[in-house]
CSV table of all heavy atoms in Angstrom, one decimal:
chain,number,residue,atom,x,y,z
P,97,ILE,N,48.3,14.5,-61.4
P,97,ILE,CA,49.6,13.9,-61.0
P,97,ILE,C,50.4,14.9,-60.2
P,97,ILE,O,50.8,16.0,-60.7
P,97,ILE,CB,50.4,13.5,-62.2
P,97,ILE,CG1,49.6,12.6,-63.1
P,97,ILE,CG2,51.7,12.7,-61.8
P,97,ILE,CD1,50.1,12.4,-64.5
P,98,LEU,N,50.5,14.6,-58.9
P,98,LEU,CA,51.0,15.6,-58.0
P,98,LEU,C,52.5,16.1,-58.2
P,98,LEU,O,52.8,17.2,-57.9
P,98,LEU,CB,50.8,15.2,-56.5
P,98,LEU,CG,49.4,15.0,-56.1
P,98,LEU,CD1,49.2,14.7,-54.6
P,98,LEU,CD2,48.5,16.3,-56.4
P,99,ASP,N,53.3,15.1,-58.7
P,99,ASP,CA,54.7,15.6,-59.0
P,99,ASP,C,54.8,16.2,-60.4
P,99,ASP,O,56.0,16.4,-60.8
P,99,ASP,CB,55.7,14.5,-58.6
P,99,ASP,CG,55.4,13.2,-59.4
P,99,ASP,OD1,54.5,13.3,-60.3
P,99,ASP,OD2,56.0,12.2,-59.1
P,100,GLN,N,53.7,16.4,-61.1
P,100,GLN,CA,53.8,17.0,-62.4
P,100,GLN,C,52.9,18.2,-62.5
P,100,GLN,O,52.2,18.4,-63.5
P,100,GLN,CB,53.5,16.0,-63.5
P,100,GLN,CG,54.6,14.9,-63.5
P,100,GLN,CD,54.3,13.8,-64.6
P,100,GLN,OE1,53.7,14.1,-65.6
P,100,GLN,NE2,54.7,12.6,-64.3
P,101,GLY,N,52.8,18.9,-61.4
P,101,GLY,CA,52.0,20.2,-61.4
P,101,GLY,C,50.5,20.0,-61.1
P,101,GLY,O,49.7,20.9,-61.1
P,102,GLY,N,50.1,18.7,-60.8
P,102,GLY,CA,48.7,18.5,-60.3
P,102,GLY,C,47.8,18.4,-61.5
P,102,GLY,O,46.5,18.4,-61.2
P,103,ASP,N,48.3,18.2,-62.7
P,103,ASP,CA,47.4,18.0,-63.8
P,103,ASP,C,47.9,16.7,-64.6
P,103,ASP,O,48.8,16.0,-64.0
P,103,ASP,CB,47.2,19.2,-64.8
P,103,ASP,CG,48.5,19.5,-65.5
P,103,ASP,OD1,49.6,19.0,-65.1
P,103,ASP,OD2,48.4,20.2,-66.6
P,104,ASP,N,47.5,16.5,-65.8
P,104,ASP,CA,47.9,15.2,-66.5
P,104,ASP,C,48.6,15.4,-67.8
P,104,ASP,O,48.9,14.4,-68.4
P,104,ASP,CB,46.7,14.3,-66.7
P,104,ASP,CG,45.6,15.0,-67.5
P,104,ASP,OD1,45.8,16.1,-68.0
P,104,ASP,OD2,44.5,14.4,-67.7
P,105,ASN,N,49.0,16.6,-68.1
P,105,ASN,CA,49.8,16.9,-69.3
P,105,ASN,C,49.3,16.5,-70.6
P,105,ASN,O,50.0,16.4,-71.6
P,105,ASN,CB,51.2,16.2,-69.1
P,105,ASN,CG,51.8,16.6,-67.7
P,105,ASN,OD1,51.7,17.7,-67.3
P,105,ASN,ND2,52.4,15.6,-67.1
P,106,VAL,N,48.0,16.1,-70.7
P,106,VAL,CA,47.4,15.8,-72.0
P,106,VAL,C,46.3,16.9,-72.3
P,106,VAL,O,45.9,17.6,-71.3
P,106,VAL,CB,46.8,14.4,-72.1
P,106,VAL,CG1,47.8,13.4,-72.0
P,106,VAL,CG2,45.6,14.3,-71.1
P,107,ALA,N,46.0,17.1,-73.5
P,107,ALA,CA,45.0,18.1,-73.9
P,107,ALA,C,43.7,17.9,-73.1
P,107,ALA,O,43.2,18.8,-72.4
P,107,ALA,CB,44.8,18.2,-75.4
P,108,ARG,N,43.2,16.7,-73.4
P,108,ARG,CA,41.9,16.4,-72.7
P,108,ARG,C,42.0,15.1,-72.0
P,108,ARG,O,42.5,14.1,-72.6
P,108,ARG,CB,40.7,16.4,-73.7
P,108,ARG,CG,40.5,17.9,-74.1
P,108,ARG,CD,39.3,18.0,-75.1
P,108,ARG,NE,39.6,17.4,-76.4
P,108,ARG,CZ,38.6,16.8,-77.1
P,108,ARG,NH1,37.4,16.7,-76.7
P,108,ARG,NH2,39.0,16.2,-78.3
P,109,SER,N,41.7,15.0,-70.7
P,109,SER,CA,41.9,13.8,-69.9
P,109,SER,C,41.2,12.6,-70.4
P,109,SER,O,40.1,12.7,-70.9
P,109,SER,CB,41.5,14.1,-68.5
P,109,SER,OG,42.0,15.3,-68.0
P,110,ILE,N,41.9,11.5,-70.3
P,110,ILE,CA,41.2,10.2,-70.8
P,110,ILE,C,40.4,9.6,-69.6
P,110,ILE,O,41.0,9.3,-68.5
P,110,ILE,CB,42.3,9.2,-71.2
P,110,ILE,CG1,43.3,9.8,-72.2
P,110,ILE,CG2,41.6,8.0,-71.8
P,110,ILE,CD1,42.7,10.3,-73.5
P,111,GLY,N,39.1,9.5,-69.8
P,111,GLY,CA,38.3,9.0,-68.8
P,111,GLY,C,38.3,7.5,-68.7
P,111,GLY,O,39.0,6.8,-69.4
P,112,ILE,N,37.4,6.9,-67.9
P,112,ILE,CA,37.3,5.5,-67.6
P,112,ILE,C,37.0,4.7,-68.9
P,112,ILE,O,37.4,3.5,-69.1
P,112,ILE,CB,36.3,5.2,-66.5
P,112,ILE,CG1,36.3,3.7,-66.1
P,112,ILE,CG2,34.9,5.5,-66.9
P,112,ILE,CD1,35.5,3.4,-64.9
P,113,ASN,N,36.3,5.3,-69.8
P,113,ASN,CA,35.9,4.6,-71.0
P,113,ASN,C,37.0,4.7,-72.1
P,113,ASN,O,36.8,4.3,-73.3
P,113,ASN,CB,34.6,5.1,-71.6
P,113,ASN,CG,34.6,6.6,-71.7
P,113,ASN,OD1,35.7,7.2,-71.6
P,113,ASN,ND2,33.4,7.2,-71.8
P,114,GLY,N,38.2,5.2,-71.7
P,114,GLY,CA,39.3,5.3,-72.7
P,114,GLY,C,39.1,6.5,-73.7
P,114,GLY,O,40.0,6.7,-74.5
P,115,LYS,N,38.1,7.2,-73.6
P,115,LYS,CA,37.9,8.4,-74.5
P,115,LYS,C,38.3,9.7,-73.8
P,115,LYS,O,38.1,9.8,-72.6
P,115,LYS,CB,36.4,8.5,-74.9
P,115,LYS,CG,36.0,7.4,-75.9
P,115,LYS,CD,34.6,7.7,-76.4
P,115,LYS,CE,33.8,6.4,-76.7
P,115,LYS,NZ,32.4,6.5,-76.3
P,116,PRO,N,38.8,10.6,-74.7
P,116,PRO,CA,39.2,11.9,-74.1
P,116,PRO,C,37.9,12.6,-73.6
P,116,PRO,O,36.9,12.6,-74.2
P,116,PRO,CB,39.8,12.7,-75.2
P,116,PRO,CG,39.8,11.8,-76.4
P,116,PRO,CD,39.0,10.6,-76.1
P,117,SER,N,38.0,13.2,-72.4
P,117,SER,CA,36.9,13.9,-71.9
P,117,SER,C,36.8,15.3,-72.6
P,117,SER,O,37.6,15.6,-73.5
P,117,SER,CB,37.0,14.1,-70.4
P,117,SER,OG,38.1,14.9,-70.1
P,118,LYS,N,35.8,16.1,-72.2
P,118,LYS,CA,35.6,17.3,-72.9
P,118,LYS,C,36.7,18.3,-72.6
P,118,LYS,O,36.9,19.2,-73.5
P,118,LYS,CB,34.2,17.9,-72.4
P,118,LYS,CG,33.3,18.4,-73.5
P,118,LYS,CD,31.9,18.6,-73.0
P,118,LYS,CE,31.8,19.9,-72.1
P,118,LYS,NZ,30.4,20.2,-71.8
P,119,ARG,N,37.3,18.2,-71.5
P,119,ARG,CA,38.1,19.3,-71.1
P,119,ARG,C,39.5,18.9,-70.6
P,119,ARG,O,39.8,17.8,-70.3
P,119,ARG,CB,37.4,20.1,-70.0
P,119,ARG,CG,36.1,20.7,-70.5
P,119,ARG,CD,35.7,21.9,-69.7
P,119,ARG,NE,34.5,22.5,-70.3
P,119,ARG,CZ,33.4,22.7,-69.6
P,119,ARG,NH1,33.3,22.4,-68.3
P,119,ARG,NH2,32.3,23.3,-70.2
P,120,ASN,N,40.3,20.0,-70.4
P,120,ASN,CA,41.7,19.8,-69.9
P,120,ASN,C,41.6,19.8,-68.4
P,120,ASN,O,40.8,20.5,-67.8
P,120,ASN,CB,42.5,21.0,-70.4
P,120,ASN,CG,43.9,21.0,-69.9
P,120,ASN,OD1,44.2,21.8,-68.9
P,120,ASN,ND2,44.8,20.2,-70.4
Side-chain angles (χ1 to χ4, degrees):
Chain P
I97 307 164
L98 294 186
D99 54 11
Q100 293 177 33
D103 70 340
D104 59 3
N105 310 320
V106 297
R108 289 183 291 148
S109 307
I110 310 297
I112 187 172
N113 50 17
K115 286 189 214 140
S117 64
K118 221 165 76 171
R119 298 200 176 129
N120 177 257

